[in-house]
Amino acid sequence: QVQLQESGPGLVKPSETLVLTCTVSGRSVTTASDYWGWIRQPPGKGLEWMGAMAPSGNTYYSPALKSRTSISRVTSKNPLTLQLRTVTPEDTGLYYCGGALAGASLGFYEHWGQGTQVTVSS
């Protein structure tokens, strides 16, 4: 059974860089057939797909976040990381990592972490 667990700082100041980690158990993030992505949910709003890494190692990002987002993985271990640069209070929300077999887009994710709350405030 695949289990995902997000972790991060919880509180970040405006203009700083947010770094989140997703630990995967039950399946390696380097498995050739899996997509791994990050999704967030601002307060009172719907899910927003941020980006994903394909089995090839290629990364795909939301156009709205592409200039500020990086997704990477440690090939010898399981953590999948998200970096979101120059955060603002609008980046506040619940952040999820997810795993998918068929594609990188939001509708494909079969496995989800429980989410980690991120608040951007000075």
Side-chain angles (χ1 to χ4, degrees), residues 12-93:
V12 185
K13 294 181 178 180
S15 81
E16 292 186 339
T17 295
L18 169 67
V19 179
L20 298 178
T21 298
C22 176
T23 302
V24 179
S25 60
R27 181 175 294 161
S28 171
V29 294
T30 61
T31 299
S33 60
D34 290 339
Y35 293 82
W36 301 97
W38 288 93
I39 303 101
R40 70 180 183 179
Q41 186 170 26
K45 297 184 180 180
L47 295 171
E48 178 185 17
W49 178 80
M50 301 181 69
M53 178 172 283
S56 63
N58 291 338
T59 50
Y60 304 93
Y61 299 106
S62 164
L65 298 171
K66 183 177 183 179
S67 64
R68 300 195 291 129
T69 308
S70 297
I71 293 173
S72 60
R73 67 186 180 198
V74 179
T75 56
S76 61
K77 299 181 182 179
N78 269 331
L80 181 77
T81 63
L82 169 73
Q83 291 190 17
L84 183 63
R85 296 175 289 276
T86 320
V87 298
T88 71
E90 285 68 40
D91 294 311
T92 293

